[in-house]
Amino acid sequence: GGYIYKLFDSTNGSSLPPNGIGFDNFTYTLANASGETDTAKLIIDVSVTKTDQPLAIDDHESVVITEKPSVAGNVINNDLYGNTVIFNTTTAKYGFLEIPDNSGAYLYKLYSSTDNTSLPESGVDIDSFNYTLYNEKGTTSTAILNITVKIDPAFAGQPGDQPYDNVDVEFNNRSAQATTLNSGRNIKGHLYDSGDKDWFSLASAGDEIITLEVSPKGTSCFGKKSWVLYVFDPDRLKALNDLNAPHKGEFARFQFLHWVDETGTDKDLLGNTIISPDAGTSNHMYLAYNAGYFEGALIGIVDPCFDTLNTVDIGVPPGPRNYLIAISSPLLGDGNDGGSDDSCGQGSVVLEKPDLSASGLDAEGKEKTYSTTREYITSFPNSDDQYAIKITGTGINPLNSATAKANASIYNSFELLIPRVLAGEQEYKARLTQLHQARNGDSGIQFTLSAIEPLAVTTVDPYRATYSFEDKKVRIPRVTDINTGIGYSVTLQFHEGNNAYFEVISVVEIK
């Protein structure tokens, strides 16, 4: 039963738990001459001899851009035999420390300028701060406080980009159905097919510069060039739409042609019509842009086929206005070698391809087979992944403007009054009554629908709420608490069933 226990050469104070005491267990079996056995354990207490030498141990914490921009702690909590801490550095790349005293306490804060674009492509980096631990005799030990900085989860990619956290609420394929943006103004969306388009409404108080960035660094779509962003002046776009002209505005359709190769028309050599000249029409947004249908209304664009940057700055004049933003896919051009490189839109985006042959007569009246050609378009590069857009402005938050307050939803401690909510293609006025006892047993705020009334006219309103049939969420850009006058961007989750209710899942104060 004799033994010798030895520590590994690598075992030191930092190998032990924070209290400085650990245990090694060894199970053994005791047997007698008759072969009967019993088991027990040999337990070795491993500890650090308390000497004049303090032991500082590295600390690890994390922050998240936007979601958790600060963290507080005390580095001495896991250190041994010391009572005073001096931080040797208090500033780093992404944030800084506030140190109230020498107890080891700290508050780490991100700089106001730190955003997703500050981080490397991985979306994660570390700020490190060296500190020194002292005991009563002035003996020291050093360690590092490591703060992991993570990307804003609103832009963090998910495996396979699922689930989508779509801000755009289908159907938002027309400007009149534009999704309103909340105070965060961070858009995540998804084009469901190559011809899909997403519209958003962005309020501005005026006299500012609005920056729109498509697929910022750190997002799952960063580096891809599968999305075109357009910014429109709403009044000019409406004027184009009201013209109801064949080649003006968002409703115009491009006419594709079909012709006989030998004659360049729909006729054979004797003038007989042998094919239809109509090869179909398209309302694809990039095609309309290239054809000049938005001339005068388009005030900014991020075109991946030509732009080297993924941002656009829009200088807006004084006065409140509700700008329109749209997203579409780009199209393949006939000048980019058939899509063999990663460019798009070079040359003409109206492509040509051979079509079915047609029977006709030649110049002498004999039967003849004619080759034909038709026009078409194809999306390139095409992606069914989600896209992300970050919007920043230099002016005041438009959701704190007088116009926003006048059009806001109202909370009065027992009811939520929503003047406009878009669900599909219909707008409603709704009244929600707060439940005093949560139906699912949680303590969160919940409402039932007590009144709803359809509205006769659907308008582009950047302050209206939207309901998504996909994720069953109601997104309200501004709710004003009449007791305090404070505005909030609010998201409600709808729970179906016999006792259906709406649950408040997000409340963000508008600052």
Side-chain angles (χ1 to χ4, degrees):
Y3 66 87
I4 297 176
Y5 173 85
K6 293 184 178 181
L7 290 171
F8 298 122
D9 293 339
S10 59
T11 300
N12 55 35
S14 62
S15 307
L16 300 176
N19 63 3
I21 301 175
F23 303 95
D24 268 353
N25 298 320
F26 302 90
T27 302
Y28 67 90
T29 301
L30 175 68
N32 61 17
S34 302
E36 297 173 312
T37 63
D38 196 10
T39 59
K41 288 184 177 181
L42 168 65
I43 301 175
I44 306 292
D45 293 355
V46 183
S47 60
V48 176
T49 301
K50 187 169 183 179
T51 65
D52 291 336
Q53 180 64 43
L55 177 62
I57 301 173
D58 290 351
D59 296 79
H60 301 272
E61 273 293 353
S62 64
V63 293
V64 182
I65 293 174
T66 302
E67 184 178 83
K68 183 187 174 185
S70 64
V71 65
N74 195 312
V75 295
I76 210 171
N77 289 342
N78 67 333
D79 295 342
L80 301 174
Y81 316 133
N83 55 13
T84 301
V85 171
I86 301 296
F87 282 90
N88 305 316
T89 54
T90 57
T91 60
K93 184 175 182 180
Y94 304 107
F96 62 96
L97 296 179
E98 291 183 354
I99 310 299
D101 49 40
N102 294 333
S103 67
Y106 66 87
L107 174 63
Y108 173 87
K109 293 182 178 180
L110 290 171
Y111 298 126
S112 59
S113 59
T114 298
D115 58 18
N116 291 339
T117 63
S118 308
L119 295 175
E121 292 185 20
S122 63
V124 179
D125 209 350
I126 295 176
D127 267 354
S128 296
F129 303 90
N130 297 308
Y131 71 91
T132 302
L133 176 68
Y134 293 79
N135 64 8
E136 297 89 342
K137 297 182 179 181
T139 308
T140 64
S141 177
T142 60
I144 300 174
L145 167 62
N146 295 296
I147 306 291
T148 300
V149 182
K150 302 178 181 179
I151 192 173
D152 179 353
F155 284 137
Q158 303 290 336
D161 282 340
Q162 291 285 351
Y164 294 126
D165 183 19
N166 282 334
V167 173
D168 69 287
V169 178
E170 293 291 341
F171 305 96
N172 62 342
N173 302 331
R174 297 296 184 195
S175 60
Q177 302 161 346
T179 302
T180 55
L181 302 183
N182 61 18
S183 60
R185 296 198 286 183
N186 290 335
I187 300 173
K188 248 186 175 182
H190 180 244
L191 295 176
Y192 288 86
D193 55 56
S194 60
D196 189 22
K197 60 202 78 171
D198 291 338
W199 285 83
F200 304 94
S201 179
L202 172 67
S204 170
D207 197 17
E208 65 170 334
I209 296 176
I210 302 173
T211 300
L212 300 100
E213 183 175 9
V214 185
S215 301
K217 181 185 292 185
T219 63
S220 59
C221 56
F222 176 71
K224 299 180 182 179
K225 294 183 175 291
S226 302
W227 301 275
V228 185
L229 178 143
Y230 315 80
V231 186
F232 294 94
D233 180 297
D235 295 334
R236 295 177 186 174
L237 182 63
K238 183 179 184 303
L240 286 181
N241 292 344
D242 289 346
L243 290 175
N244 199 25
H247 302 306
K248 296 292 182 182
E250 67 175 295
F251 303 108
R253 301 190 68 85
F254 186 91
Q255 177 67 58
F256 296 118
L257 301 179
H258 182 205
W259 62 87
V260 176
D261 293 340
E262 193 167 343
T263 64
T265 67
D266 58 349
K267 298 176 174 55
D268 61 15
L269 289 173
L270 285 182
N272 302 311
T273 299
I274 59 173
I275 61 170
S276 169
D278 183 358
T281 63
S282 174
N283 186 235
H284 194 284
M285 201 158 195
Y286 194 72
L287 176 61
Y289 155 63
N290 274 268
Y293 292 176
F294 301 129
E295 187 174 350
L298 184 67
I299 59 176
I301 187 169
V302 176
D303 185 348
C305 303
F306 298 97
D307 291 342
T308 57
L309 300 177
N310 62 340
T311 62
V312 61
D313 292 335
I314 305 297
V316 300
R321 184 168 293 186
N322 308 322
Y323 294 91
L324 291 167
I325 301 167
I327 290 284
S328 81
S329 63
L331 295 176
L332 179 67
D334 62 8
N336 73 335
D337 196 21
S340 60
D341 56 24
D342 57 2
S343 64
C344 56
Q346 306 295 326
S348 173
V349 297
V350 180
L351 307 179
E352 300 176 5
K353 64 180 178 180
D355 199 36
L356 297 175
S357 299
S359 297
L361 300 177
D362 64 13
E364 298 177 354
K366 298 179 180 179
E367 289 189 3
K368 179 182 171 101
T369 299
Y370 291 88
S371 61
T372 69
T373 298
R374 73 166 53 235
E375 294 177 329
Y376 73 103
I377 56 172
T378 186
S379 178
F380 174 84
N382 188 38
S383 175
D384 58 3
D385 294 337
Q386 64 188 18
Y387 59 80
I389 308 171
K390 182 175 183 180
I391 304 173
T392 54
T394 58
I396 65 171
N397 193 316
L399 291 177
N400 271 332
S401 66
T403 304
K405 293 176 181 178
N407 290 275
S409 298
I410 300 297
Y411 175 64
N412 60 14
S413 299
F414 61 91
E415 284 183 324
L416 178 60
L417 308 176
I418 307 177
R420 284 185 177 275
V421 55
L422 178 67
E425 300 185 24
Q426 176 65 53
E427 282 190 344
Y428 300 89
K429 177 181 179 181
R431 179 190 300 268
L432 305 182
T433 302
Q434 185 172 340
L435 293 171
H436 295 290
Q437 182 174 357
R439 287 186 169 171
N440 63 359
D442 294 336
S443 58
I445 300 175
Q446 297 178 3
F447 296 88
T448 58
L449 180 64
S450 53
I452 188 167
E453 175 185 343
L455 300 177
V457 179
T458 298
T459 61
V460 181
D461 181 356
Y463 309 109
R464 70 184 172 193
T466 52
Y467 174 71
S468 169
F469 290 98
E470 292 180 288
D471 55 17
K472 295 180 173 57
K473 286 184 174 65
V474 180
R475 296 173 174 87
I476 312 175
R478 181 182 173 101
V479 175
T480 301
D481 185 337
I482 63 171
N483 297 309
T484 64
I486 299 175
Y488 303 88
S489 286
V490 177
T491 302
L492 308 176
Q493 179 69 60
F494 178 55
H495 297 271
E496 295 181 293
N498 293 331
N499 296 315
Y501 63 94
F502 293 87
E503 178 184 11
V504 178
I505 60 173
S506 175
V507 178
V508 179
E509 183 179 349
I510 300 169
K511 297 181 179 179

